[in-house]
């Protein structure tokens, strides 16, 4: 149809998964699709970055969660991209060499014992920022609105609030958090970290976004 000159083509898929696969296959061939179905926020890379942050806080900085967080394209957006990648590579190499599984103090120690270079210095700085972010999420029970505030401050500490709004899903996610924070501002019910996490997962699963950049 495209080769025949047609430009107004509608594809109807029975479920979101099929729609995403078709869109990915078409875009691989250079065909852009205006997807009116949208996706669940929970399946986006932006949600994966937040999940990595929460997993790092919940699991005592388990090394896989920590590396997933540091490799996210949304965090440390205020750093030079090549320098950030070199620092994360240095961190991963140090972790594997020392066989360290978890714990920011132990992870920091193994990085300190690695060969000294610029990547090492930046890696230590990134660990400091991860510690500041995760500390905000390892707090006593609070209202949902306050938990959202803590999450936003944690994302700010990681430099993610600069990059998330530049992504369609990231902007939709932040808009959802802002909307819920305003709606729940007067609620005094207290939630533990685990209960708030369950609530957030349900919100992201129910949330939807569309990529409005394609016309």
């Amino acid at each position: 149809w495209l080769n025949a000159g047609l430009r107004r083509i509608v594809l109807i898929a029975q479920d979101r998964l099929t729609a995403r696969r078709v869109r990915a296959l078409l875009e691989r061939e250079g065909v852009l699709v205006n997807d009116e179905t949208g996706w669940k926020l929970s399946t986006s890379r932006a949600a994966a970055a937040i999940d990595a942050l929460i997993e790092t806080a919940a699991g005592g900085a388990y090394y896989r969660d920590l590396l997933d967080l540091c490799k996210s394209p949304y965090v440390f957006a205020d750093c030079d991209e090549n320098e950030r990648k070199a620092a994360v590579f240095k961190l991963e190499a140090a972790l594997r060499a020392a066989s360290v599984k978890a714990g920011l103090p132990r992870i920091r120690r193994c990085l300190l014992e690695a060969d000294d270079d610029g990547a090492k210095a930046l890696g230590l700085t990134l660990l400091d920022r991860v510690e500041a972010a995760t500390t905000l999420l390892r707090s006593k029970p609070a209202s949902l609105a306050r938990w959202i505030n803590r999450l936003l401050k944690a994302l700010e500490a990681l430099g993610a609030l600069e990059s998330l709004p530049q992504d369609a899903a990231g902007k939709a996610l932040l808009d959802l958090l802002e909307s819920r924070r305003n709606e729940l501002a007067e609620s005094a019910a207290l939630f533990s970290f685990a209960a708030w996490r369950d609530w957030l997962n349900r919100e992201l699963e129910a949330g939807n976004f569309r990529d409005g950049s394609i016309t």
Side-chain angles (χ1 to χ4, degrees):
W1 289 343
L2 287 171
N3 290 336
L6 296 179
R7 289 295 178 267
R8 297 178 62 83
I9 301 170
V10 175
L11 303 178
I12 301 176
Q14 293 182 326
D15 58 71
R16 288 181 176 181
L17 182 58
T18 301
R20 291 192 69 175
R21 287 175 173 170
V22 169
R23 174 177 172 171
L25 288 169
L26 289 172
E27 290 189 353
R28 193 177 303 166
E29 299 299 322
V31 180
L32 296 182
V33 177
N34 180 12
D35 184 359
E36 296 187 359
T37 305
W39 301 309
K40 290 183 179 181
L41 274 176
S42 59
T43 65
S44 67
R45 290 193 303 166
I50 287 181
D51 185 63
L53 167 59
I54 294 175
E55 285 284 358
T56 301
Y62 181 60
Y63 79 103
R64 287 181 180 172
D65 299 328
L66 175 64
L67 290 175
D68 284 345
L69 175 62
C70 291
K71 290 177 180 180
S72 168
Y74 301 100
V75 302
F76 311 128
D78 48 358
C79 297
D80 178 82
E81 179 67 12
N82 291 329
E83 291 178 359
R84 181 184 71 85
K85 287 182 177 179
V88 175
F89 178 81
K90 183 80 172 183
L91 173 62
E92 183 171 9
L95 283 170
R96 299 193 184 283
S99 297
V100 173
K101 297 295 184 183
L104 282 174
R106 295 182 63 195
I107 292 171
R108 184 180 286 106
R109 194 177 307 119
C110 81
L111 185 56
L112 281 168
E113 294 171 355
D115 294 335
D116 198 2
D117 57 23
K120 172 181 173 179
L122 180 57
L124 291 169
T125 299
L126 299 186
L127 287 179
D128 289 341
R129 296 175 68 173
V130 169
E131 183 173 22
T134 54
T135 298
L136 287 166
L137 298 179
R138 292 196 301 269
S139 303
K140 60 184 180 180
S143 66
L144 290 174
R146 189 166 182 184
W147 273 117
I148 293 173
N149 280 334
R150 290 172 178 174
L151 175 59
L152 292 174
K153 288 181 180 179
L155 292 171
E156 183 179 17
L158 295 173
L161 290 186
E162 298 179 19
S163 54
L164 282 171
Q166 300 174 23
D167 173 79
K171 185 178 185 307
L173 195 155
L174 292 178
D175 288 344
L176 174 65
L177 291 176
E178 182 65 25
S179 176
R180 293 296 179 269
R181 181 170 62 171
N182 292 335
E183 293 168 1
L184 297 163
E186 302 302 321
S187 174
L190 300 182
F191 288 74
S192 66
F193 172 82
W196 166 73
R197 183 180 182 181
D198 288 342
W199 173 86
L200 180 62
N201 286 338
R202 289 194 299 272
E203 290 294 317
L204 295 181
E205 186 69 17
N208 194 54
F209 80 98
R210 288 179 54 196
D211 185 354
S213 64
I214 297 175
T215 57

